[in-house]
Amino acid sequence: MRSISIMTILAAALLSWPGADARGTEVDGTIKLGGVIIDEQAGDLSAVQETYNLEEGFSFTQLRLNGNFDPKTYFSLDLANVNLRNRRGEVEFRVPSLLRFYGRYDQWRQVFDPERTVTSDRKDWRFGAIVTPKRWFTLYADYGYVSRAGDRLAFPVGTTSVFGTRYDYALHTFRVEGEVHQGPRTFALAYDHSDYRDGLSEVADRKGFVASGRVFTPCRFDERLTHFVRAAYGQSELDYSGLDYTIQNIQYTGVFGPIYRVQLRYSFFANRTDDESTELKTDDFRHDVDATYFHRYGSVFAGYGYETNDDDRSLTSYNLYTVGGSFNYRQRVNAKVEYASRNKKDLEKLTLLKDVEASRLLAKLTVQPIDRLTIGAQAKQRERDFPDIGVEAEGLSANGFARYEYEGWGSLGGEYTYTADEYDDLAGDYETESHVVTSRVVLDRIPGVRLGGGLTYLDVGKDLDIEKSIGFVEAEYTFREDYHLELKYNVYNYDDYILLDRYYTANIVWINVAYDFRTP
Amino acid sequence: MLALTLSRHDTAATDYPPTSESCVECHDDALKSLTGTVHAIDLDAEKPGVWCTSCHAGDPDAHVDDAEASPMAHPARLDARAEAAVCATCHASSHQQNMMEWNAHAENAVNCSSCHLVHGNDNLRLLAQREPELCMECHPSVEGEFSRSYRHPVLDDVIECSECHMPLAERSRTPGFRGVGDVCFQCHPQFRGPFPFEHQATVSYSTEEGGCLNCHEPHGSDQPRMLKQSYEAPHFATCSQCHLVPTHQFNVQHGSQWAGVACNQCHVDIHGSYANRYFLAPDLSLQGCTSWGCHQF
């Protein structure tokens, strides 16, 4: 509550902005109040993550404000689940072309045990501003605060960890960036700072910074060529031991368009990481080139990359290939085929994994035969082999979907995804196969009434045996123009047929009344 | 976004209010639809800001005379690169630069207006829809991934797709420090390091192909802790995918007492340790395990 109170105070501060001339102020908004009814039957209350933050009882579901003080000053505030443990909010204030201030808050409870007694809460704050005092200069500033507190269980249960059985940490981050534009050129300098404090273990406290710069400019001699250069220097240090590591990197990307339909691109990346703990200086160099031919009906592209990684102890190199094409016809047909591979060579055979061969083949097709109907399909095959240590992993994913909209009636949509993953090493193998169906229907046919429903069903087989489903129906009735009655019913079901105690069923009903208001 | 033709338009400097005032005579709804956004047109401004012709190229005088014969350009109807060039006239931040480097959306004919609607939109960042619905329009299989047993709370409006997938955009916290894993450390800072004893699998600069994604499935998994492989007896595939250590998995000297015991029963802090180079629990030395024989380090 305290967090949202701060958000509300901020909103009030915005409303008292000097520009808030009562005569020019216009506000519209929504206030939504209601309640939640929960009926659970479970052997494991941690089985369905979607229910971790639901609470039975009264709910201050939403407060939304949107408006302007005069024609040039705008604000918005959106608070959700104000009295619940998954409360969140966003606030924004903006003067177009001069200032934008934003703030955001959310929190989330994680549940670890079947009784839902071992939990931790994560809270996330963000504030920032973007100021453009001159057309050629923009200043960005951003502050973030993430904290986590509560209990935890080691995984698997029964093991121990020096992290203990509790969370109590906070991360503060701050970023400031100045960006200068001059014609088509951009130059920016940024500074990032982070500070991590662990309330349970001072040896984990650390702070770090990254100072970086970037330049973006067309070539002085040929504007068909654009240069992009970025460089960074950073350090992260443990307070207790003084141990640190540093990074230094520089990146260049050049994009050249000799003719409009052709684009050539070259990227270079060099990075050094100096890690006191491993006593290794790791140098990473990457070169990537690619070419794309654009046609009004699609594109064809191909690329090659070469990378070396040298940490004084071992030297590895990588070859990367990609080739593919896309086809687009009047936004009615979109198709894409792409193959990519990445092969690692351990030149001295000193790394643990030694050589690695990885590849991916992707094909997708989306068709819109009529304006109201979209149909699509996608398939992806992945392989990853570690020939020297006898490990193979491969996965297949195939997906199909359809959406249909009929004005005045509503919409209907659904998708099906099949995945199969297989993993083998010298000790054993592991296989899973899953079917996932999601669907949703919305009916707008009756004036003032909106009806919806849907289902998510997941079936995981082979070495696992899990079924999970979430079904919902919802209805919204608008009366007296500005009032809305909302009803929503969800049923959650989870069954693990191997871990038999891990089952969960819940029937949950939300009832809300919303009122839309606006200044005359 | 492709940035081949990032030469800034001159129109913003030359198109003074009279031109936009002419536009408004027929397109006053278009003017109103920009109210409150960064593209709001201020006809009373003394200095040039954003005008209609900043985005809609063409000959405004000829268009006024005969709109059909001399249409003005509509950026959203241009191809991805051409529209990007119009937007990049003013927008050349790290977001646009990232799009230039990776290019994935442009290659698939996804232009700026596929995600950002300029007119009639008061959503944050002028997004056409809120995330994640916007992203899932084109990436439908991802919704199923976020429905698995262990998943990031994206469908719960706690995390947005762009927080991970556009790490240099304004919502980012910690760019460029520790490779791909930086995205993860925004919310899981306890694993960020440095650790006095690093696990090479967790650092993305490592010659061992390190990084969080070696072990974890970021969208969702049916394994606890969003692991990619099972972490169960007898061979704990999460670890054995890299560490097939005969003296451990098949060591008769440990006898049945240790058969099927989880790796992190002894190697407690596999993300990195403050105490031991093998991430071993401090109490093992008290038991004498590391004082003599095969574990005398």
Side-chain angles (χ1 to χ4, degrees):
Chain A
M1 284 296 285
R2 179 171 155 267
S3 314
I4 291 297
S5 300
I6 294 171
M7 287 287 232
T8 309
I9 291 167
L10 278 170
L14 293 178
L15 288 167
S16 62
W17 179 263
D21 178 342
R23 202 173 45 178
T25 300
E26 294 176 359
V27 181
D28 66 76
T30 302
I31 185 165
K32 191 185 292 185
L33 304 173
V36 184
I37 303 165
I38 299 176
D39 168 37
E40 291 176 308
Q41 296 170 352
D44 188 339
L45 290 167
S46 69
V48 174
Q49 203 175 314
E50 284 85 346
T51 63
Y52 284 2
N53 287 277
L54 298 178
E55 283 179 272
E56 194 159 48
F58 169 73
S59 165
F60 186 167
T61 309
Q62 187 183 31
L63 172 63
R64 184 188 65 81
L65 294 174
N66 202 8
N68 64 283
F69 299 130
D70 57 56
K72 296 169 192 169
T73 310
Y74 302 88
F75 65 89
S76 65
L77 173 75
D78 192 355
L79 307 179
N81 303 328
V82 175
N83 66 323
L84 301 180
R85 59 169 65 94
N86 61 336
R87 64 187 66 97
R88 62 181 187 273
E90 279 187 276
V91 62
E92 186 181 83
F93 174 78
R94 60 187 186 277
V95 181
S97 302
L98 176 64
L99 168 69
R100 180 174 164 237
F101 166 83
Y102 58 88
R104 183 186 176 197
Y105 173 81
D106 63 62
Q107 67 174 64
W108 176 258
R109 180 177 76 155
Q110 181 70 25
V111 176
F112 296 92
D113 69 318
E115 289 77 34
R116 211 180 271 168
T117 53
V118 181
T119 67
S120 70
D121 285 287
R122 178 180 169 276
K123 298 177 180 177
D124 189 351
W125 284 94
R126 293 295 296 270
F127 290 106
I130 302 171
V131 185
T132 312
K134 298 288 183 185
R135 187 174 165 80
W136 51 268
F137 180 63
T138 304
L139 187 66
Y140 302 83
D142 186 280
Y143 171 74
Y145 173 74
V146 178
S147 68
R148 189 166 185 179
D151 299 321
R152 62 192 291 178
L153 278 184
F155 173 74
V157 175
T159 58
T160 56
S161 166
V162 292
F163 288 123
T165 56
R166 288 188 54 75
Y167 286 104
D168 183 11
Y169 68 70
L171 172 71
H172 302 261
T173 55
F174 177 72
R175 175 181 175 83
V176 61
E177 178 175 350
E179 187 181 271
V180 175
H181 320 274
Q182 187 184 39
R185 296 167 181 81
T186 300
F187 170 69
L189 288 174
Y191 178 81
D192 291 82
H193 181 82
S194 68
D195 190 299
Y196 174 82
R197 299 289 129 189
D198 194 319
L200 302 172
S201 172
E202 63 177 346
V203 298
D205 291 350
R206 64 177 72 92
K207 57 183 177 295
F209 73 90
V210 178
S212 60
R214 58 187 169 85
V215 176
F216 187 40
T217 178
C219 177
R220 185 173 176 180
F221 307 106
D222 187 344
E223 290 217 341
R224 294 175 301 174
L225 175 62
T226 302
H227 302 292
F228 173 39
V229 182
R230 180 163 51 205
Y233 176 83
Q235 187 177 63
S236 185
E237 181 183 19
L238 285 171
D239 291 347
Y240 188 80
S241 61
L243 197 72
D244 68 25
Y245 69 83
T246 58
I247 60 152
Q248 306 163 65
N249 61 48
I250 185 164
Q251 177 182 355
Y252 168 79
T253 298
V255 182
F256 181 53
I259 57 174
Y260 184 72
R261 292 196 181 283
V262 174
Q263 174 185 279
L264 307 172
R265 189 171 48 174
Y266 167 71
S267 286
F268 169 72
F269 177 75
N271 181 73
R272 165 167 281 200
T273 306
D274 188 350
D275 194 333
E276 274 191 350
S277 66
T278 58
E279 297 180 343
L280 297 176
K281 289 183 173 61
T282 306
D283 293 326
D284 186 20
F285 295 96
R286 296 180 217 161
H287 303 267
D288 291 288
V289 291
D290 64 52
T292 307
Y293 174 78
F294 292 92
H295 185 270
R296 63 182 294 200
Y297 293 126
S299 64
V300 180
F301 53 89
Y304 170 72
Y306 180 73
E307 179 180 343
T308 59
N309 193 330
D310 182 354
D311 65 4
D312 291 339
R313 185 181 57 186
S314 54
L315 175 63
T316 56
S317 67
Y318 304 80
N319 285 284
L320 300 86
Y321 302 91
T322 180
V323 61
S326 65
F327 173 74
N328 314 289
Y329 181 71
R330 294 182 179 179
Q331 299 187 335
R332 293 287 187 191
V333 179
N334 283 283
K336 182 183 181 184
V337 178
E338 182 183 9
Y339 173 80
S341 73
R342 183 172 190 268
N343 298 322
K344 170 192 170 191
K345 282 287 177 194
D346 180 352
L347 304 178
E348 297 156 321
K349 300 289 183 189
L350 290 177
T351 63
L352 184 67
L353 307 180
K354 300 185 174 59
D355 292 353
V356 182
E357 297 166 4
S359 66
R360 185 193 68 180
L361 177 63
L362 169 77
K364 59 194 293 187
L365 172 68
T366 304
V367 181
Q368 192 175 21
I370 55 175
D371 285 345
R372 299 188 292 263
L373 177 64
T374 305
I375 303 169
Q378 174 181 308
K380 187 162 59 178
Q381 170 81 37
R382 306 182 309 274
E383 290 182 12
R384 193 172 171 87
D385 293 341
F386 303 76
D388 295 309
I389 61 170
V391 174
E392 291 180 12
E394 61 179 298
L396 169 69
S397 167
N399 169 265
F401 72 92
R403 297 189 200 104
Y404 181 74
E405 290 179 45
Y406 194 80
E407 197 172 339
W409 281 81
S411 62
L412 174 67
E415 63 150 281
Y416 166 73
T417 303
Y418 169 80
T419 62
D421 290 285
E422 186 173 351
Y423 160 80
D424 289 289
D425 67 22
L426 295 177
D429 59 55
Y430 169 70
E431 285 183 72
T432 63
E433 181 181 73
S434 72
H435 308 268
V436 184
V437 177
T438 59
S439 63
R440 185 181 182 92
V441 59
V442 176
L443 285 174
D444 284 331
R445 180 62 179 161
I446 306 167
V449 177
R450 182 180 169 88
L451 300 171
L455 174 72
T456 298
Y457 173 77
L458 191 146
D459 178 22
V460 186
K462 293 212 168 171
D463 286 344
L464 299 174
D465 193 356
I466 296 168
E467 269 187 8
K468 176 182 176 182
S469 62
I470 304 170
F472 77 92
V473 290
E474 59 187 4
E476 180 183 338
Y477 171 59
T478 301
F479 58 101
R480 296 180 63 184
E481 290 193 3
D482 296 327
Y483 291 87
H484 310 273
L485 174 64
E486 297 174 2
L487 287 170
K488 185 177 178 184
Y489 166 69
N490 274 25
V491 55
Y492 298 89
N493 196 59
Y494 188 97
D495 286 296
D496 189 323
Y497 295 105
I498 296 174
L499 303 172
L500 294 175
D501 288 340
R502 194 165 164 78
Y503 66 88
Y504 179 86
T505 300
N507 297 282
I508 299 176
V509 177
W510 288 262
I511 304 170
N512 280 297
V513 176
Y515 170 62
D516 295 335
F517 56 90
R518 67 191 63 80
T519 52
Chain B
M1 177 182 292
L2 299 180
L4 299 179
T5 53
L6 282 180
S7 55
R8 200 172 273 257
H9 285 193
D10 289 334
T11 50
T14 57
D15 173 23
Y16 285 90
T19 303
S20 288
E21 283 174 359
S22 300
C23 303
V24 170
E25 287 179 14
C26 296
H27 303 287
D28 63 328
D29 54 333
L31 178 76
K32 287 175 187 166
S33 71
L34 296 171
T35 303
T37 73
V38 69
H39 301 106
I41 293 174
D42 185 359
L43 296 174
D44 301 325
E46 294 178 0
K47 293 182 179 178
V50 179
W51 307 113
C52 302
T53 48
S54 300
C55 303
H56 299 280
D59 183 343
D61 294 331
H63 181 74
V64 169
D65 292 338
D66 187 342
E68 285 192 14
S70 303
M72 302 296 284
H74 195 309
R77 292 176 193 150
L78 301 173
D79 68 38
R81 292 189 306 152
E83 189 191 30
V86 174
C87 301
T89 304
C90 297
H91 302 283
S93 71
S94 55
H95 172 58
Q96 285 76 29
Q97 294 176 356
N98 271 358
M99 300 299 258
M100 180 191 82
E101 287 178 283
W102 298 108
N103 209 22
H105 280 135
E107 280 172 357
N108 291 281
V110 177
N111 53 9
C112 303
S113 57
S114 298
C115 300
H116 302 281
L117 287 184
V118 172
H119 286 276
N121 183 9
D122 57 6
N123 289 339
L124 292 176
R125 305 186 296 283
L126 292 180
L127 290 177
Q129 297 181 60
R130 285 179 68 100
E131 297 181 52
E133 289 81 3
L134 172 67
C135 306
M136 288 177 185
E137 283 276 310
C138 297
H139 304 281
S141 63
V142 175
E143 184 175 358
E145 293 171 22
F146 284 119
S147 301
R148 292 188 179 275
S149 310
Y150 304 89
R151 24 68 100 186
H152 272 120
V154 170
L155 302 181
D156 311 79
D157 292 333
V158 175
I159 300 174
E160 294 183 344
C161 306
S162 58
E163 290 184 72
C164 301
H165 290 283
M166 292 189 181
L168 278 177
E170 70 183 48
R171 303 184 84 86
S172 165
R173 284 201 173 82
T174 52
F177 211 117
R178 212 168 150 95
V180 176
D182 272 349
V183 170
C184 310
F185 302 137
Q186 294 179 60
C187 297
H188 304 283
Q190 70 270 37
F191 302 127
R192 189 182 185 197
F195 290 100
F197 303 100
E198 299 273 14
H199 185 187
Q200 290 288 290
T202 69
V203 289
S204 53
Y205 57 77
S206 162
T207 54
E208 299 287 1
E209 298 251 292
C212 307
L213 305 189
N214 274 354
C215 299
H216 299 281
E217 195 72 63
H219 286 173
S221 164
D222 294 304
Q223 298 287 351
R225 301 302 199 263
M226 297 171 64
L227 290 171
K228 280 186 168 176
Q229 316 288 354
S230 68
Y231 188 71
E232 293 172 355
H235 59 272
F236 300 93
T238 295
C239 300
S240 68
Q241 63 178 326
C242 300
H243 301 278
L244 197 67
V245 188
T247 52
H248 280 57
Q249 278 96 335
F250 312 109
N251 185 5
V252 294
Q253 294 183 40
H254 271 146
S256 57
Q257 182 185 357
W258 293 95
V261 170
C263 307
N264 67 332
Q265 184 69 55
C266 299
H267 305 274
V268 291
D269 296 303
I270 41 81
H271 294 100
S273 172
Y274 296 105
N276 186 284
R277 67 180 294 200
Y278 298 105
F279 324 118
L280 291 169
D283 59 354
L284 287 176
S285 60
L286 298 176
Q287 296 173 34
C289 300
T290 56
S291 303
W292 62 82
C294 39
H295 300 308
Q296 189 175 5
F297 302 123

